[in-house]
Amino acid sequence: MAPPVDVLVVCIDATRGWTEANRELEAGLRRAGASVETVLTGPVPRVRTFALTDLTQALMARRAAARGIARHHPRAIIYCSITAALLWPRPGAIFLDATAHENRPGRHGVWQRPMESRRLAQAPLLLPWSERSLVHAPAQRAPAFTLPPPIEVPAPVPDGADRDLAAITYAGDPVKRRLEHMLAAWHRARRPGETLTVCGLDGFDPPDGVRSAGRVSRDQFRRLLQRSRVFLAAPQREDHGIAALEALACGCRLVTTAARGAYPALDIARAADPRLVGDDLAQGIRRALDEPAGEYASVVARRLAPFTAEVMDRQLADVILPRLLTGRPAAIRA
């Protein structure tokens, strides 16, 4: 029989953002010296309601975790998302962007919220992506250590290099991302010759002044971001917003609604240029294109410092793995 692994990572195959976050977590654990195995649910079927969606995903995560436990005999488990932990076969740490107490109000979270309260108290550790991820969580919960997925900061665009794209957005879920709202704002704001590039959709028929890039890889998306001056977002609520953080890292100016939720890119955008945050997206677009704030890039660079792989590696090696594998805090290195 193979020796036990240090950490089993349990992941739901749900969204591109979560897939990339899971991959970064596994890589960080390995860099920190842990042996790691990952189990995946496989593709998740689409069902009609939030409650049924979460039940389907939680059952699939339970089965995947049980297979991984039987095969790898892990010393510790990390469940990627609160949903993955709801029906766990064995307690583990929870890597999460938001809670059901926040994003499953009313009937949408009728069974998830009570179960979540128990899991947040039973977990050995909570690993929220941001300081606001647990704002709406119950007071009785496990120790928490912030662990944002790292955002890769690409090599800077050379001085004088053209940003030939006026604006870009990601609309993988056009309803959640409020694509129609963004298109209406762009129609009001754009000038002749300016184009909004929409990523993440197949079969999208763009109106005048808009072009569709279709579904793009992460590297392709970053290259488009590096050519763009503005990243446009219109969420009403945002859990974490990896695409907006990547846009800031690639040098775009973020024009966004003041969405509810953890949404760390919102704080960065407000600090860099509060004129670009608010309900009037059209006005924000014109200000970003015509009157850019001079200190925008330097403010963003400072605010993105916690979102690096180096910070994740230190947190995993110095704090999280010692607690997971021994149950005791480690001495923090200076």
Side-chain angles (χ1 to χ4, degrees):
M1 185 176 68
V5 300
D6 291 325
V7 183
L8 178 71
V9 178
V10 180
C11 306
I12 296 173
D13 290 333
T15 66
R16 191 194 80 161
W18 265 108
T19 298
E20 292 168 356
N22 299 338
R23 189 181 300 121
E24 295 286 0
L25 174 63
E26 180 180 0
L29 288 165
R30 293 186 189 281
R31 290 192 299 268
S35 57
V36 186
E37 293 290 344
T38 297
V39 290
L40 304 170
T41 60
V44 177
R46 295 180 68 87
V47 293
R48 294 185 61 183
T49 67
F50 284 126
L52 185 55
T53 294
D54 292 342
L55 179 60
T56 301
Q57 293 184 2
L59 285 168
M60 294 177 72
R62 177 183 175 85
R63 289 193 287 268
R67 291 194 304 271
I69 291 167
R71 181 174 182 179
H72 301 296
H73 308 284
R75 297 171 62 192
I77 303 174
I78 298 178
Y79 294 94
C80 292
S81 81
I82 189 66
T83 305
L86 289 177
L87 299 179
W88 64 24
R90 176 178 140 187
I94 308 175
F95 185 51
L96 72 156
D97 60 342
T99 62
H101 280 78
E102 179 179 7
N103 65 14
R104 293 291 187 263
R107 62 183 176 82
H108 298 299
V110 65
W111 74 270
Q112 302 97 308
R113 293 191 303 272
M115 185 66 75
E116 175 183 82
S117 296
R118 293 198 287 273
R119 295 298 182 251
L120 292 175
Q122 294 166 341
L125 284 179
L126 304 178
L127 308 175
W129 290 11
S130 81
E131 294 178 359
R132 288 210 299 264
S133 294
L134 296 174
V135 165
H136 297 276
Q140 297 297 317
R141 57 179 185 259
F145 298 92
T146 304
L147 190 71
I151 301 299
E152 183 178 333
V153 179
V157 177
D159 288 342
D162 255 354
R163 286 189 174 266
D164 59 316
L165 303 180
I168 187 171
T169 191
Y170 180 80
D173 182 338
V175 176
K176 179 180 178 181
R177 300 298 169 194
R178 297 208 296 167
L179 176 59
E180 290 300 324
H181 187 71
M182 289 190 287
L183 293 178
W186 179 250
H187 177 73
R188 295 194 305 274
R190 72 177 291 263
R191 291 177 180 164
E194 293 177 338
T195 301
L196 170 67
T197 300
V198 176
C199 300
L201 289 176
D202 289 330
F204 169 56
D205 184 18
D208 289 344
V210 180
R211 81 174 186 93
S212 175
R215 295 186 184 274
V216 293
S217 69
R218 191 176 187 185
D219 287 341
Q220 290 170 327
F221 184 55
R222 285 176 179 158
R223 286 195 291 271
L224 287 170
L225 290 173
Q226 287 189 285
R227 293 171 52 195
S228 303
R229 286 179 280 164
V230 169
F231 183 84
L232 185 58
Q236 292 181 309
R237 203 195 67 78
E238 183 63 86
D239 292 335
H240 192 70
I242 288 178
L245 287 168
E246 288 190 330
L248 287 168
C250 289
C252 297
R253 295 170 191 274
L254 175 59
V255 175
T256 182
T257 48
R260 304 186 305 277
Y263 198 16
L266 177 62
D267 292 335
I268 299 173
R270 277 183 170 142
D273 190 346
R275 302 174 306 155
L276 310 189
V277 176
D279 292 333
D280 192 342
L281 292 177
Q283 183 180 72
I285 291 166
R286 288 276 36 111
R287 284 175 170 168
L289 291 173
D290 300 338
E291 310 165 23
E295 299 298 314
Y296 198 95
S298 59
V299 173
V300 167
R302 290 195 300 272
R303 294 285 182 133
L304 282 176
F307 295 90
T308 63
E310 290 78 9
V311 171
M312 170 181 261
D313 290 352
R314 287 198 301 271
Q315 186 80 321
L316 286 170
D318 295 347
V319 180
I320 293 166
L321 274 175
R323 284 178 176 264
L324 278 179
L325 300 181
T326 69
R328 297 189 299 274
I332 306 302
R333 295 196 295 265

